Coordinates of all heavy atoms in Angstrom, one line a residue:
M1 N 87.3 5.5 -183.1 CA 87.4 6.7 -183.8 C 87.5 6.4 -185.3 O 88.2 5.5 -185.7 CB 88.6 7.5 -183.3 CG 89.7 7.7 -184.2 SD 91.1 8.6 -183.5 CE 92.1 7.2 -183.0
V2 N 86.9 7.2 -186.1 CA 87.0 7.2 -187.6 C 87.4 8.5 -188.1 O 86.8 9.5 -187.6 CB 85.7 6.7 -188.2 CG1 85.8 6.7 -189.7 CG2 85.3 5.3 -187.7
R3 N 88.3 8.6 -189.0 CA 88.7 9.9 -189.5 C 89.1 9.9 -191.0 O 89.4 8.8 -191.5 CB 89.9 10.5 -188.7 CG 91.1 9.7 -188.9 CD 92.3 10.3 -188.2 NE 93.4 9.4 -188.5 CZ 94.5 9.3 -187.8 NH1 94.6 10.1 -186.8 NH2 95.5 8.6 -188.2
L4 N 89.0 11.0 -191.6 CA 89.4 11.2 -193.0 C 90.8 11.8 -192.9 O 90.9 12.9 -192.2 CB 88.4 12.1 -193.8 CG 88.8 12.5 -195.2 CD1 88.9 11.2 -196.1 CD2 87.9 13.5 -195.8
Q5 N 91.8 11.3 -193.6 CA 93.1 11.8 -193.5 C 93.8 11.8 -194.8 O 93.4 11.1 -195.7 CB 93.9 11.0 -192.5 CG 94.3 9.6 -192.9 CD 95.2 8.9 -191.9 OE1 95.1 9.2 -190.8 NE2 96.0 8.0 -192.4
S6 N 94.9 12.5 -194.9 CA 95.7 12.5 -196.1 C 96.6 11.2 -195.9 O 97.1 11.0 -194.8 CB 96.6 13.7 -196.2 OG 97.4 13.6 -197.3
S7 N 96.8 10.5 -197.0 CA 97.6 9.3 -196.9 C 99.0 9.6 -196.5 O 99.6 10.5 -196.9 CB 97.6 8.6 -198.2 OG 98.4 7.4 -198.2
S8 N 99.6 8.7 -195.7 CA 101.0 8.9 -195.2 C 101.9 7.9 -196.0 O 103.1 7.9 -195.7 CB 101.1 8.6 -193.7 OG 100.6 7.4 -193.4
Y9 N 101.4 7.2 -197.0 CA 102.2 6.3 -197.7 C 102.8 7.0 -198.9 O 102.2 8.0 -199.5 CB 101.4 5.1 -198.3 CG 100.9 4.2 -197.2 CD1 99.5 4.0 -197.0 CD2 101.8 3.5 -196.4 CE1 99.1 3.2 -196.0 CE2 101.3 2.7 -195.4 CZ 100.0 2.5 -195.2 OH 99.5 1.7 -194.2
F10 N 103.9 6.6 -199.4 CA 104.5 7.1 -200.7 C 105.1 5.9 -201.4 O 105.5 4.9 -200.8 CB 105.5 8.2 -200.4 CG 106.6 7.9 -199.4 CD1 107.7 7.2 -199.7 CD2 106.3 8.3 -198.1 CE1 108.6 6.9 -198.7 CE2 107.3 8.0 -197.1 CZ 108.4 7.3 -197.4
D11 N 105.2 6.0 -202.7 CA 105.7 4.9 -203.5 C 107.2 4.9 -203.7 O 107.8 3.9 -203.8 CB 105.0 5.0 -204.9 CG 103.5 4.9 -204.9 OD1 103.0 4.1 -204.1 OD2 102.9 5.6 -205.6
Q12 N 107.7 6.1 -203.7 CA 109.2 6.2 -203.9 C 109.7 7.4 -203.1 O 109.1 8.4 -203.0 CB 109.5 6.5 -205.4 CG 110.2 5.5 -206.1 CD 110.5 5.9 -207.6 OE1 110.1 6.9 -208.0 NE2 111.2 5.0 -208.3
L13 N 110.9 7.2 -202.6 CA 111.6 8.2 -201.9 C 113.1 8.1 -202.3 O 113.6 7.0 -202.3 CB 111.5 8.0 -200.3 CG 112.3 8.9 -199.4 CD1 111.8 10.3 -199.5 CD2 112.3 8.4 -198.0
G14 N 113.6 9.3 -202.6 CA 115.0 9.2 -203.1 C 115.8 10.5 -202.9 O 115.2 11.5 -202.6
I15 N 117.1 10.4 -203.1 CA 117.9 11.6 -203.0 C 118.7 11.7 -204.3 O 119.3 10.7 -204.8 CB 118.9 11.5 -201.8 CG1 118.1 11.4 -200.5 CG2 119.8 12.7 -201.8 CD1 119.0 11.2 -199.3
L16 N 118.7 12.9 -204.9 CA 119.5 13.2 -206.1 C 120.7 14.0 -205.6 O 120.5 15.1 -205.0 CB 118.7 13.9 -207.1 CG 117.5 13.2 -207.7 CD1 116.7 14.1 -208.6 CD2 117.9 11.9 -208.4
Y17 N 121.9 13.5 -205.8 CA 123.1 14.2 -205.3 C 123.6 15.3 -206.3 O 123.3 15.2 -207.5 CB 124.2 13.2 -205.0 CG 123.8 12.3 -203.9 CD1 123.2 11.0 -204.1 CD2 123.9 12.7 -202.6 CE1 122.8 10.2 -203.1 CE2 123.5 11.9 -201.5 CZ 123.0 10.6 -201.8 OH 122.6 9.8 -200.8
P18 N 124.4 16.2 -205.8 CA 124.8 17.4 -206.6 C 125.6 17.0 -207.9 O 125.5 17.6 -208.9 CB 125.8 18.1 -205.7 CG 125.3 17.8 -204.3 CD 124.8 16.4 -204.4
A19 N 126.3 15.8 -207.9 CA 127.0 15.4 -209.1 C 126.1 15.1 -210.2 O 126.4 15.3 -211.4 CB 127.9 14.2 -208.8
G20 N 124.9 14.7 -209.9 CA 123.9 14.3 -211.0 C 123.0 15.5 -211.3 O 122.4 15.5 -212.4
T21 N 122.8 16.4 -210.4 CA 121.8 17.5 -210.7 C 122.5 18.8 -211.1 O 121.9 19.7 -211.7 CB 120.9 17.8 -209.5 OG1 121.7 18.2 -208.4 CG2 120.1 16.5 -209.1
G22 N 123.7 19.0 -210.7 CA 124.4 20.3 -210.9 C 124.0 21.4 -209.8 O 124.4 22.5 -209.9
L23 N 123.1 21.0 -208.9 CA 122.7 21.9 -207.8 C 123.7 21.8 -206.7 O 124.4 20.8 -206.5 CB 121.3 21.6 -207.4 CG 120.2 21.7 -208.4 CD1 118.9 21.1 -207.9 CD2 120.0 23.1 -208.8
P24 N 123.8 22.9 -205.9 CA 124.8 22.9 -204.8 C 124.5 22.0 -203.6 O 125.3 21.9 -202.7 CB 124.8 24.4 -204.4 CG 123.5 24.9 -204.7 CD 123.1 24.2 -206.0
M25 N 123.3 21.4 -203.5 CA 122.9 20.6 -202.4 C 122.0 19.4 -202.9 O 121.5 19.5 -204.0 CB 122.1 21.4 -201.4 CG 120.8 21.9 -201.9 SD 119.9 23.0 -200.7 CE 120.9 24.5 -200.9
P26 N 122.0 18.3 -202.1 CA 121.2 17.2 -202.5 C 119.7 17.6 -202.6 O 119.2 18.4 -201.8 CB 121.4 16.2 -201.4 CG 122.7 16.6 -200.7 CD 122.7 18.1 -200.9
V27 N 118.9 16.9 -203.4 CA 117.5 17.1 -203.6 C 116.8 15.8 -203.2 O 117.1 14.7 -203.6 CB 117.2 17.4 -205.1 CG1 115.7 17.5 -205.3 CG2 117.9 18.7 -205.5
L28 N 115.8 16.0 -202.3 CA 115.0 14.9 -201.8 C 113.7 14.9 -202.7 O 113.1 15.9 -202.8 CB 114.6 15.1 -200.3 CG 113.6 14.1 -199.8 CD1 114.3 12.7 -199.6 CD2 113.2 14.5 -198.4
Y29 N 113.3 13.7 -203.2 CA 112.1 13.7 -203.9 C 111.2 12.5 -203.4 O 111.7 11.5 -202.9 CB 112.3 13.5 -205.4 CG 112.9 12.2 -205.8 CD1 112.1 11.1 -206.2 CD2 114.3 12.0 -205.9 CE1 112.6 9.9 -206.5 CE2 114.9 10.8 -206.3 CZ 114.0 9.7 -206.6 OH 114.6 8.5 -206.9
I30 N 109.9 12.8 -203.4 CA 108.9 11.8 -203.0 C 107.9 11.7 -204.1 O 107.3 12.6 -204.6 CB 108.2 12.3 -201.7 CG1 109.2 12.4 -200.6 CG2 107.1 11.3 -201.3 CD1 108.6 13.1 -199.3
V31 N 107.6 10.4 -204.5 CA 106.6 10.1 -205.6 C 105.5 9.4 -204.9 O 105.7 8.4 -204.2 CB 107.2 9.3 -206.7 CG1 106.2 8.9 -207.7 CG2 108.4 10.0 -207.3
N32 N 104.3 9.9 -205.1 CA 103.1 9.3 -204.5 C 102.0 9.2 -205.5 O 101.5 10.2 -206.1 CB 102.6 10.2 -203.3 CG 101.5 9.5 -202.5 OD1 100.9 8.5 -203.0 ND2 101.2 10.0 -201.4
T33 N 101.6 8.0 -205.9 CA 100.5 7.7 -206.9 C 99.3 7.1 -206.3 O 98.3 6.8 -207.0 CB 101.0 6.8 -208.0 OG1 101.5 5.6 -207.4 CG2 102.2 7.4 -208.7
T34 N 99.3 6.9 -204.9 CA 98.1 6.4 -204.2 C 97.1 7.5 -203.9 O 97.5 8.6 -203.8 CB 98.6 5.6 -203.0 OG1 99.2 6.6 -202.1 CG2 99.5 4.5 -203.3
P35 N 95.9 7.1 -203.6 CA 94.9 8.2 -203.3 C 95.3 8.9 -202.0 O 95.8 8.3 -201.1 CB 93.6 7.4 -203.0 CG 93.8 6.1 -203.7 CD 95.3 5.8 -203.7
Q36 N 95.2 10.2 -202.0 CA 95.6 11.0 -200.9 C 94.5 11.1 -199.8 O 94.9 11.3 -198.6 CB 95.9 12.4 -201.3 CG 97.3 12.5 -202.0 CD 98.4 12.1 -201.0 OE1 98.7 12.8 -200.1 NE2 98.9 10.9 -201.3
R37 N 93.3 10.9 -200.1 CA 92.3 10.9 -199.0 C 91.9 9.5 -198.7 O 91.4 8.8 -199.5 CB 91.1 11.7 -199.5 CG 91.4 13.2 -199.7 CD 90.2 13.9 -200.0 NE 90.6 15.3 -200.3 CZ 89.8 16.2 -200.8 NH1 88.6 15.9 -201.3 NH2 90.2 17.4 -201.0
T38 N 92.1 9.1 -197.5 CA 91.8 7.8 -197.0 C 91.0 7.8 -195.7 O 91.1 8.8 -195.0 CB 93.1 7.0 -196.8 OG1 93.8 7.6 -195.7 CG2 93.9 6.8 -198.0
Y39 N 90.2 6.8 -195.5 CA 89.5 6.7 -194.2 C 90.3 5.7 -193.3 O 90.9 4.7 -193.8 CB 88.1 6.1 -194.4 CG 87.2 7.1 -195.1 CD1 87.0 7.1 -196.4 CD2 86.5 8.0 -194.3 CE1 86.1 8.0 -197.0 CE2 85.7 9.0 -194.9 CZ 85.5 8.9 -196.3 OH 84.7 9.8 -196.9
A40 N 90.3 6.0 -192.1 CA 91.1 5.2 -191.1 C 90.2 5.0 -189.9 O 89.6 5.9 -189.4 CB 92.4 5.8 -190.7
A41 N 90.2 3.8 -189.4 CA 89.6 3.5 -188.1 C 90.7 3.2 -187.1 O 91.7 2.5 -187.5 CB 88.6 2.3 -188.2
G42 N 90.6 3.6 -185.9 CA 91.7 3.4 -185.0 C 91.2 3.5 -183.5 O 90.1 3.7 -183.2
A43 N 92.2 3.5 -182.7 CA 92.0 3.6 -181.2 C 93.1 4.5 -180.6 O 94.2 4.6 -181.1 CB 92.0 2.2 -180.6
S44 N 92.7 5.1 -179.5 CA 93.7 6.0 -178.8 C 93.6 5.7 -177.3 O 92.5 5.5 -176.8 CB 93.3 7.4 -179.1 OG 94.2 8.3 -178.3
L45 N 94.7 5.6 -176.7 CA 94.8 5.4 -175.2 C 95.6 6.5 -174.6 O 96.7 6.9 -175.1 CB 95.5 4.0 -174.9 CG 95.9 3.8 -173.5 CD1 94.6 3.5 -172.7 CD2 96.8 2.6 -173.4
Q46 N 95.0 7.2 -173.6 CA 95.7 8.3 -173.0 C 95.6 8.1 -171.5 O 94.6 7.6 -170.9 CB 95.0 9.6 -173.3 CG 95.2 10.0 -174.7 CD 94.6 11.4 -175.0 OE1 93.9 12.0 -174.2 NE2 94.9 11.9 -176.2
L47 N 96.7 8.4 -170.8 CA 96.8 8.4 -169.4 C 97.2 9.8 -168.9 O 98.1 10.4 -169.5 CB 97.9 7.4 -168.9 CG 97.7 5.9 -169.3 CD1 98.9 5.1 -169.0 CD2 96.4 5.4 -168.7
Q48 N 96.5 10.2 -167.8 CA 96.8 11.6 -167.4 C 96.8 11.6 -165.8 O 96.0 10.9 -165.2 CB 95.8 12.6 -167.9 CG 96.0 14.0 -167.5 CD 95.1 15.0 -168.2 OE1 94.3 14.6 -169.1 NE2 95.1 16.2 -167.7
Y49 N 97.7 12.4 -165.3 CA 97.8 12.5 -163.8 C 97.9 14.0 -163.5 O 98.8 14.7 -164.1 CB 99.0 11.8 -163.2 CG 99.1 12.1 -161.7 CD1 98.3 11.5 -160.8 CD2 100.0 13.0 -161.3 CE1 98.4 11.7 -159.5 CE2 100.2 13.3 -159.9 CZ 99.3 12.7 -159.0 OH 99.4 12.9 -157.7
N50 N 97.1 14.6 -162.7 CA 97.1 16.0 -162.3 C 97.2 16.1 -160.8 O 96.6 15.3 -160.1 CB 95.9 16.7 -162.7 CG 95.9 17.0 -164.2 OD1 96.9 17.1 -164.8 ND2 94.7 17.2 -164.8
Y51 N 98.0 17.0 -160.3 CA 98.1 17.4 -158.9 C 97.6 18.8 -158.8 O 98.0 19.7 -159.5 CB 99.5 17.2 -158.4 CG 99.6 17.5 -156.9 CD1 99.3 16.5 -156.0 CD2 100.1 18.7 -156.5 CE1 99.4 16.8 -154.6 CE2 100.2 19.0 -155.1 CZ 99.8 18.0 -154.2 OH 99.9 18.3 -152.9
T52 N 96.7 19.0 -157.8 CA 96.1 20.3 -157.6 C 96.8 21.0 -156.4 O 96.8 20.4 -155.3 CB 94.6 20.2 -157.4 OG1 94.0 19.6 -158.5 CG2 94.0 21.6 -157.2
F53 N 97.3 22.2 -156.6 CA 97.8 23.0 -155.5 C 96.8 24.1 -155.0 O 96.2 24.8 -155.9 CB 99.1 23.8 -156.0 CG 100.2 23.0 -156.5 CD1 100.3 22.6 -157.8 CD2 101.1 22.5 -155.6 CE1 101.3 21.9 -158.3 CE2 102.2 21.7 -156.0 CZ 102.3 21.4 -157.4
R54 N 96.5 24.1 -153.8 CA 95.7 25.1 -153.1 C 94.3 25.3 -153.8 O 93.8 26.4 -154.0 CB 96.3 26.5 -153.2 CG 97.6 26.5 -152.4 CD 98.2 27.9 -152.4 NE 99.6 27.8 -151.8 CZ 100.4 28.8 -151.9 NH1 100.1 29.9 -152.5 NH2 101.6 28.7 -151.3
N55 N 93.8 24.2 -154.3 CA 92.4 24.1 -155.0 C 92.3 25.0 -156.2 O 91.2 25.3 -156.7 CB 91.3 24.5 -154.0 CG 91.0 23.4 -153.1 OD1 91.3 22.2 -153.4 ND2 90.3 23.7 -152.0
R56 N 93.4 25.5 -156.8 CA 93.3 26.3 -158.0 C 94.3 25.9 -159.1 O 93.9 25.9 -160.2 CB 93.6 27.8 -157.6 CG 92.5 28.3 -156.6 CD 92.5 29.7 -156.6 NE 91.7 30.2 -157.7 CZ 91.3 31.4 -157.8 NH1 91.7 32.3 -157.0 NH2 90.6 31.8 -158.9
L57 N 95.5 25.7 -158.8 CA 96.5 25.4 -159.8 C 96.7 23.9 -160.0 O 96.8 23.2 -159.0 CB 97.9 26.1 -159.5 CG 97.9 27.6 -159.4 CD1 99.2 28.1 -158.9 CD2 97.5 28.2 -160.7
Q58 N 96.8 23.5 -161.2 CA 97.0 22.1 -161.5 C 98.3 21.9 -162.3 O 98.6 22.7 -163.2 CB 95.9 21.5 -162.3 CG 94.6 21.5 -161.6 CD 93.5 20.9 -162.5 OE1 93.6 20.8 -163.7 NE2 92.4 20.4 -161.8
L59 N 99.0 20.9 -162.0 CA 100.3 20.5 -162.7 C 100.2 19.0 -162.9 O 99.9 18.2 -162.0 CB 101.5 20.8 -161.9 CG 102.8 20.5 -162.5 CD1 103.0 21.4 -163.8 CD2 104.0 20.8 -161.5
G60 N 100.5 18.5 -164.1 CA 100.4 17.1 -164.4 C 101.1 16.7 -165.6 O 101.8 17.5 -166.3
T61 N 101.0 15.4 -165.9 CA 101.6 14.9 -167.2 C 100.5 14.1 -167.9 O 99.6 13.6 -167.3 CB 102.8 14.0 -166.9 OG1 102.3 12.9 -166.0 CG2 103.9 14.7 -166.2
M62 N 100.7 13.9 -169.2 CA 99.8 13.1 -170.0 C 100.6 12.4 -171.0 O 101.5 13.0 -171.7 CB 98.8 14.0 -170.7 CG 97.8 13.3 -171.5 SD 96.4 14.2 -172.2 CE 97.2 15.5 -173.0
A63 N 100.3 11.1 -171.2 CA 101.0 10.3 -172.2 C 99.9 9.6 -173.0 O 98.8 9.2 -172.5 CB 101.9 9.3 -171.5
G64 N 100.1 9.4 -174.3 CA 99.1 8.8 -175.1 C 99.7 8.0 -176.3 O 100.9 8.2 -176.6
F65 N 98.9 7.1 -176.8 CA 99.3 6.3 -178.0 C 98.1 6.2 -178.9 O 97.0 5.9 -178.4 CB 99.9 5.0 -177.5 CG 100.4 4.1 -178.7 CD1 101.6 4.4 -179.3 CD2 99.6 3.1 -179.1 CE1 102.0 3.6 -180.3 CE2 100.1 2.3 -180.2 CZ 101.3 2.6 -180.7
Q66 N 98.3 6.3 -180.2 CA 97.2 6.2 -181.2 C 97.7 5.3 -182.3 O 98.8 5.4 -182.7 CB 96.9 7.6 -181.7 CG 95.8 7.5 -182.8 CD 95.6 8.9 -183.3 OE1 95.7 9.9 -182.6 NE2 95.2 9.0 -184.6
I67 N 96.8 4.4 -182.7 CA 97.1 3.5 -183.8 C 95.9 3.4 -184.7 O 94.7 3.6 -184.3 CB 97.5 2.1 -183.3 CG1 98.0 1.2 -184.4 CG2 96.3 1.4 -182.6 CD1 98.6 -0.1 -184.0
D68 N 96.1 3.2 -186.0 CA 94.9 3.1 -186.9 C 95.1 2.1 -188.0 O 96.2 1.5 -188.1 CB 94.5 4.5 -187.5 CG 95.6 5.1 -188.5 OD1 96.4 4.3 -189.0 OD2 95.6 6.3 -188.6
T69 N 94.1 1.9 -188.8 CA 94.2 0.8 -189.8 C 95.1 1.1 -191.0 O 95.4 0.2 -191.8 CB 92.7 0.5 -190.4 OG1 92.2 1.8 -190.9 CG2 91.8 0.0 -189.3
N70 N 95.5 2.4 -191.1 CA 96.5 2.7 -192.2 C 98.0 2.4 -191.7 O 98.9 2.7 -192.4 CB 96.4 4.2 -192.6 CG 95.2 4.4 -193.4 OD1 94.7 3.5 -194.1 ND2 94.7 5.6 -193.5
G71 N 98.1 1.9 -190.5 CA 99.5 1.6 -190.0 C 100.2 2.8 -189.3 O 101.3 2.7 -189.0
D72 N 99.5 3.9 -189.1 CA 100.1 5.0 -188.4 C 100.1 4.8 -186.9 O 99.1 4.4 -186.3 CB 99.3 6.3 -188.7 CG 99.3 6.7 -190.2 OD1 100.4 6.4 -190.9 OD2 98.4 7.3 -190.7
N73 N 101.2 5.1 -186.3 CA 101.4 5.0 -184.9 C 101.9 6.4 -184.4 O 102.9 6.9 -184.9 CB 102.4 4.0 -184.5 CG 102.0 2.6 -184.9 OD1 100.8 2.2 -184.8 ND2 102.9 1.8 -185.4
I74 N 101.1 7.0 -183.5 CA 101.5 8.3 -183.0 C 101.5 8.2 -181.4 O 100.6 7.7 -180.8 CB 100.4 9.3 -183.4 CG1 100.3 9.3 -184.9 CG2 100.8 10.7 -182.8 CD1 99.1 10.1 -185.4
S75 N 102.6 8.6 -180.9 CA 102.7 8.7 -179.4 C 103.0 10.1 -179.0 O 103.6 10.9 -179.7 CB 103.8 7.7 -178.9 OG 105.1 8.1 -179.4
H76 N 102.6 10.4 -177.8 CA 102.9 11.8 -177.3 C 103.1 11.8 -175.8 O 102.6 10.9 -175.1 CB 101.8 12.8 -177.7 CG 100.5 12.6 -177.1 ND1 99.5 11.7 -177.6 CD2 100.0 13.1 -176.0 CE1 98.5 11.7 -176.8 NE2 98.7 12.5 -175.8
L77 N 103.8 12.8 -175.3 CA 104.0 13.0 -173.9 C 103.9 14.5 -173.7 O 104.5 15.3 -174.4 CB 105.4 12.5 -173.5 CG 105.8 12.6 -172.0 CD1 104.8 11.8 -171.1 CD2 107.2 12.2 -171.8
S78 N 103.1 14.9 -172.7 CA 102.8 16.3 -172.5 C 102.9 16.7 -171.1 O 102.7 15.9 -170.2 CB 101.3 16.6 -173.0 OG 101.1 16.3 -174.3
L79 N 103.2 18.0 -170.8 CA 103.1 18.6 -169.5 C 101.9 19.4 -169.5 O 101.5 20.2 -170.4 CB 104.4 19.5 -169.3 CG 104.5 20.2 -168.0 CD1 104.6 19.2 -166.9 CD2 105.6 21.1 -168.0
V80 N 101.1 19.2 -168.4 CA 99.8 19.9 -168.2 C 99.9 20.9 -167.1 O 100.4 20.6 -166.0 CB 98.7 18.8 -167.9 CG1 97.4 19.5 -167.7 CG2 98.6 17.8 -169.0
L81 N 99.5 22.1 -167.4 CA 99.4 23.2 -166.5 C 98.1 23.9 -166.6 O 97.7 24.2 -167.7 CB 100.5 24.2 -166.8 CG 100.7 25.4 -165.9 CD1 101.0 25.0 -164.4 CD2 101.7 26.4 -166.4
G82 N 97.4 24.0 -165.5 CA 96.0 24.6 -165.6 C 95.6 25.3 -164.3 O 96.3 25.3 -163.3
R83 N 94.5 26.0 -164.4 CA 94.0 26.8 -163.3 C 92.5 26.6 -163.2 O 91.8 26.7 -164.3 CB 94.3 28.3 -163.5 CG 93.8 29.1 -162.4 CD 94.3 30.5 -162.4 NE 93.8 31.2 -161.3 CZ 93.2 32.4 -161.3 NH1 93.1 33.0 -162.4 NH2 92.8 33.0 -160.2
R84 N 92.0 26.4 -162.0 CA 90.5 26.2 -161.8 C 89.9 27.6 -161.6 O 90.6 28.4 -160.9 CB 90.2 25.3 -160.7 CG 90.5 23.9 -160.9 CD 90.0 23.1 -159.8 NE 90.2 21.7 -160.1 CZ 89.8 20.7 -159.3 NH1 89.2 21.0 -158.1 NH2 90.0 19.5 -159.6
F85 N 88.7 27.8 -162.0 CA 88.1 29.1 -161.8 C 86.9 28.9 -160.9 O 86.3 27.9 -160.8 CB 87.6 29.7 -163.1 CG 88.8 30.1 -164.0 CD1 89.2 29.3 -165.0 CD2 89.4 31.3 -163.8 CE1 90.2 29.7 -165.8 CE2 90.5 31.7 -164.5 CZ 90.9 30.9 -165.6

């Protein structure tokens, strides 16, 4: 798979506390100077199991994992519910 995505990297991440800002709560700041549009090549693996009740209703689970050249790792677990027509 190849995709165009917004970059998930940032150069600086920090918290400014109320004593330094005068605000009633901490402030989170993120500084990003790298290009926001990047290309990534990656792979995805998904496993799915469905059980069919009475030839119409399906119940199952799906698990997956995705990795790409930008270092992003995404995992998911899903419950699948369906109906055949």
Side-chain angles (χ1 to χ4, degrees):
M1 112 181 93
V2 176
R3 67 176 181 200
L4 174 67
Q5 69 177 29
S6 178
S7 176
S8 56
Y9 294 119
F10 49 85
D11 299 322
Q12 242 181 0
L13 173 68
I15 299 175
L16 300 174
Y17 293 99
T21 63
L23 297 172
M25 64 185 75
V27 176
L28 173 70
Y29 68 91
I30 298 172
V31 177
N32 189 346
T33 58
T34 60
Q36 283 299 291
R37 294 186 183 165
T38 62
Y39 289 96
S44 177
L45 173 68
Q46 293 185 349
L47 300 172
Q48 182 172 352
Y49 174 78
N50 285 337
Y51 182 79
T52 304
F53 298 94
R54 300 182 189 167
N55 282 340
R56 298 199 82 172
L57 296 176
Q58 293 182 344
L59 181 63
T61 60
M62 181 170 55
F65 183 75
Q66 176 182 329
I67 189 168
D68 66 25
T69 55
N70 284 338
D72 295 329
N73 298 318
I74 302 168
S75 61
H76 68 273
L77 182 62
S78 304
L79 180 65
V80 178
L81 180 63
R83 180 171 183 227
R84 288 185 176 185
F85 294 99

